[in-house]
Amino acid sequence: MVPIFIFAVIVLGWAVYQDNQMKKKQQVDQLIQDAHQSLKVVESNPNNMVLEPFETADPVL
């Protein structure tokens, strides 16, 4: 009886761990998707002023 209880606890713990990992992956995927969408909005803005690298660098004296 005790080995069955221990086995059930281990299986339940593993299932909870897997569920937690899946939720974390979904959150990260959603965050990446939101970031891509935000980037598209910024890039499509006609008032977006992108500075070239030479414009942002400190002037050489």
Side-chain angles (χ1 to χ4, degrees):
M1 184 70 171
V2 173
I4 294 173
F5 179 72
I6 292 172
F7 178 74
V9 169
I10 291 172
V11 169
L12 181 61
W14 178 80
V16 169
Y17 172 78
Q18 290 297 323
D19 184 56
N20 190 24
Q21 292 300 315
M22 182 62 70
K23 286 180 182 176
K24 285 181 183 180
K25 183 181 181 320
Q26 289 173 345
Q27 288 175 340
V28 169
D29 290 344
Q30 183 65 42
L31 181 64
I32 291 171
Q33 184 179 6
D34 291 346
H36 281 284
Q37 184 64 30
S38 296
L39 183 59
K40 287 179 183 178
V41 169
V42 169
E43 288 176 341
S44 68
N45 184 350
N47 297 322
N48 184 16
M49 295 178 45
V50 177
L51 299 177
E52 296 297 324
F54 64 87
E55 294 178 32
T56 59
D58 291 333
V60 178
L61 299 176

